[in-house]
């Protein structure tokens, strides 16, 4: 390790054994004959982290991100390779790690604090601050088994940050809990960075990765697939996910006897089909239908939802006062011009065709998650879930 490095990982390997049943494990122990399958989850990973640096890990589920963090923090031991560190590394990995569900939150502060390297006197001195940050009120005296996942996250985060780590590890645990406490945690992490602390960060929120991290590593099947700037890593990972995602297929109608079939829907931008839209630029949502007999008095609509399934925007032909009439059998395309002023990320499209006068009863088809699509935002002067056009600020003196 160099003098500026606080963490150095070299040639790390980790495999897990899987047994078909407990009996197979017993048979192997008694006979010495192999009765298990082995899966390599970390395969020759090496990297270093310097003081004050923030490093993100990207990858699909099962790529090895969480296992790597457990090896770094000492929760797991590697099969081979080394993890050298010269500072205290704490963090929030799996919810409930190091907690005794039958003990109170207050009692678990002492147990969990000692597990991450704090002594009794240190915990005693920081006890009030830990309980205040966790904001559990009287629940701090109740057994942890009675806590919700958000309450467990609050307690675990509060303990970890008061251990005065030089490097803080954050896995997807911050995705649980209420948004106000999540913002409180993110505010702490930003101040921690500003004070010279280092971060190891795992998140599927690419916008958050770009905002929090300077460098990123993409993991694929336990190996490093790319290492570079967070911006470039996010772009590559996003492109990889789009390429590997199954292409939208013709939807199966929920009401197949209605005489109308939804064939397909796709985005069109810059004179070509698009699976990734550019925020703030006009696009078209094109919906292709097959009509078996003349129909009128219908309404076709769509809803855009975020990755948390929250409705962001929706409209239909009825709300826009556009009569939807199919005068003869055949194949039709309905195009919705849309300017997606959305922040970068992944979104889901919801489609519905129904009677114009009765949205709930006379439904022709109803596709909750017809397709996923990505939005990129080349705008360098903004962050957030939406994009609003702005002009340079004007400063005036009274």
């Amino acid at each position: 390790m160099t003098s500026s490095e606080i963490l150095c990982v070299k040639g790390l390997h980790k495999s897990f054994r899987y047994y078909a049943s407990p009996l197979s494990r017993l048979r192997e122990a008694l006979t010495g004959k192999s009765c298990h399958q082995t899966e390599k989850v970390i395969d020759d990973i090496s990297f270093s982290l310097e003081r004050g640096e923030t490093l993100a890990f990207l990858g699909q589920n099962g790529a090895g991100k969480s296992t790597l963090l457990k090896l770094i923090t000492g929760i797991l031991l590697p099969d081979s390779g080394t993890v050298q560190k010269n500072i205290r590394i704490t963090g929030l990995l799996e919810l409930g790690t190091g907690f005794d569900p039958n003990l109170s939150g207050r009692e678990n502060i002492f147990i969990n604090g000692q597990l991450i390297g704090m002594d009794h006197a240190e915990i005693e001195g920081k006890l009030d601050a830990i309980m205040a940050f966790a904001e559990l009120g009287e629940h701090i005296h109740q057994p942890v088994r009675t806590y919700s996942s958000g309450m467990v996250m609050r307690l675990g985060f509060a303990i970890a940050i008061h251990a005065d780590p030089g490097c803080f590890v954050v896995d997807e645990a911050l995705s649980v809990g209420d948004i106000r406490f999540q913002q409180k945690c993110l505010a702490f992490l930003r101040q921690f960075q500003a004070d010279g602390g280092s971060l190891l960060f795992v998140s599927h929120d690419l916008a958050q990765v770009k905002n929090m991290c300077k460098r990123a590593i993409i993991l694929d099947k336990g190996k490093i697939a790319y290492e570079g700037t967070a911006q470039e890593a996010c772009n590559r990972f996003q492109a990889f996910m789009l390429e590997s995602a199954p292409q939208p297929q013709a939807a199966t109608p929920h009401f197949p006897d209605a005489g109308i079939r939804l064939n397909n829907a796709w985005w069109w931008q810059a004179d070509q089909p698009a699976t990734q839209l550019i925020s703030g630029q006009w696009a078209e949502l094109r919906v292709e239908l097959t009509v078996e007999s003349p129909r009128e008095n219908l309404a076709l609509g769509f809803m855009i939802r975020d990755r948390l399934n929250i409705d962001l925007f929706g409209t239909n032909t009825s709300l826009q006062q556009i009569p939807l009439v199919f005068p003869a059998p055949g194949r039709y395309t309905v195009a919705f011009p849309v300017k997606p002023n959305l922040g970068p990320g992944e979104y889901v499209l919801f489609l519905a065709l129904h009677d114009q006068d009765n949205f709930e009863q006379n439904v022709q088809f109803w596709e909750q998650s017809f397709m996923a699509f990505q939005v990129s935002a080349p705008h360098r002067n903004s962050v957030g879930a939406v994009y609003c056009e702005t002009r340079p600020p004007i400063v005036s003196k009274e």
Side-chain angles (χ1 to χ4, degrees):
M1 292 178 64
T2 65
S3 58
S4 62
E5 293 176 345
I6 60 171
L7 173 67
C8 184
V9 175
K10 290 185 178 180
L12 216 56
H13 292 263
K14 182 64 178 179
S15 299
F16 290 121
R17 291 182 177 184
Y18 296 97
Y19 294 87
S21 67
L23 184 60
S24 299
R25 185 187 296 268
L26 178 61
R27 184 181 297 114
E28 180 174 291
L30 294 176
T31 65
K33 182 180 179 181
S34 176
C35 299
H36 67 268
Q37 292 183 332
T38 301
E39 180 181 356
K40 182 171 288 189
V41 292
I42 297 295
D43 188 3
D44 194 24
I45 287 183
S46 300
F47 68 92
S48 62
L49 183 71
E50 296 193 352
R51 191 176 305 277
E53 189 179 17
T54 302
L55 174 63
F57 294 101
L58 303 175
Q60 300 184 80
N61 292 335
K65 305 184 297 297
S66 295
T67 301
L68 179 58
L69 294 186
K70 290 176 183 177
L71 292 169
I72 292 171
T73 54
I75 295 176
L76 293 176
L77 296 176
D79 298 335
S80 61
T82 59
V83 177
Q84 293 178 288
K85 47 191 174 183
N86 57 19
I87 59 170
R88 178 183 287 176
I89 298 179
T90 68
L92 195 61
L93 300 176
E94 290 184 357
L95 289 176
T97 300
F99 287 159
D100 186 329
N102 295 315
L103 297 181
S104 69
R106 187 182 187 280
E107 292 168 321
N108 269 290
I109 291 175
F110 286 89
I111 294 175
N112 194 265
Q114 292 179 34
L115 286 175
I116 61 177
M118 302 168 70
D119 58 38
H120 188 87
E122 184 181 3
I123 299 170
E124 192 74 55
K126 298 177 178 179
L127 183 61
D128 290 342
I130 293 172
M131 292 192 296
F133 191 95
E135 298 180 359
L136 295 176
E138 290 302 313
H139 293 287
I140 196 70
H141 303 294
Q142 303 299 320
V144 167
R145 68 171 182 272
T146 65
Y147 287 12
S148 67
S149 59
M151 294 167 70
V152 174
M153 187 276 284
R154 285 171 177 246
L155 185 59
F157 192 91
I159 297 170
I161 64 173
H162 285 88
D164 294 332
C167 179
F168 197 78
V169 178
V170 184
D171 204 346
E172 284 286 351
L174 278 183
S175 62
V176 303
D178 62 86
I179 190 169
R180 189 190 66 81
F181 194 80
Q182 288 181 24
Q183 292 300 318
K184 181 179 178 179
C185 295
L186 290 173
F188 165 82
L189 293 178
R190 291 191 178 94
Q191 186 60 49
F192 180 76
Q193 288 178 291
D195 293 338
S198 301
L199 284 179
L200 293 176
F201 198 75
V202 170
S203 176
H204 290 288
D205 188 336
L206 299 186
Q208 196 174 70
V209 169
K210 293 176 186 178
N211 191 33
M212 298 286 294
C213 306
K214 298 294 185 183
R215 188 162 65 98
I217 289 175
I218 300 176
L219 296 181
D220 183 32
K221 298 178 181 178
K223 295 183 178 182
I224 294 179
Y226 174 79
E227 182 176 358
T229 65
Q231 179 73 41
E232 180 62 21
C234 288
N235 292 341
R236 291 186 179 219
F237 181 64
Q238 193 173 54
F240 169 75
M241 293 298 290
L242 289 172
E243 290 173 1
S244 60
Q247 296 300 312
Q249 302 295 319
T252 302
H254 284 239
F255 302 89
D257 299 329
I260 296 182
R261 185 172 68 254
L262 170 62
N263 296 327
N264 208 347
W266 64 96
W267 287 104
W268 189 273
Q269 192 176 59
D271 297 324
Q272 61 183 349
T275 55
Q276 178 173 307
L277 301 180
I278 299 176
S279 178
Q281 297 188 12
W282 281 104
E284 279 189 356
L285 173 62
R286 300 184 178 183
V287 183
E288 184 184 273
L289 311 166
T290 295
V291 179
E292 297 177 0
S293 60
R295 298 296 299 271
E296 59 183 15
N297 196 36
L298 296 173
L300 176 65
F302 68 92
M303 176 70 72
I304 295 175
R305 292 173 170 162
D306 66 8
R307 61 191 296 264
L308 299 178
N309 208 33
I310 296 174
D311 294 346
L312 300 180
F313 175 80
T315 188
N316 60 45
T317 54
S318 178
L319 292 174
Q320 298 191 24
Q321 300 182 351
I322 303 296
L324 191 61
V325 178
F326 303 114
R331 181 174 295 181
Y332 293 83
T333 298
V334 181
F336 291 91
V338 181
K339 183 185 282 188
N341 291 325
L342 300 168
E346 182 173 313
Y347 300 89
V348 174
L349 187 71
F350 164 30
L351 292 173
L353 179 68
H354 41 71
D355 189 277
Q356 182 165 298
D357 300 323
N358 194 330
F359 290 0
E360 296 184 357
Q361 297 298 322
N362 300 325
V363 179
Q364 312 303 317
F365 59 73
W366 181 283
E367 296 297 335
Q368 290 270 15
S369 300
F370 183 80
M371 68 174 176
F373 64 95
Q374 299 278 343
V375 173
S376 64
H379 320 289
R380 303 287 182 175
N381 61 346
S382 66
V383 295
V386 298
Y387 173 71
C388 299
E389 293 186 17
T390 61
R391 295 176 179 175
I394 300 173
V395 180
S396 60
K397 182 179 180 181
E398 296 184 0

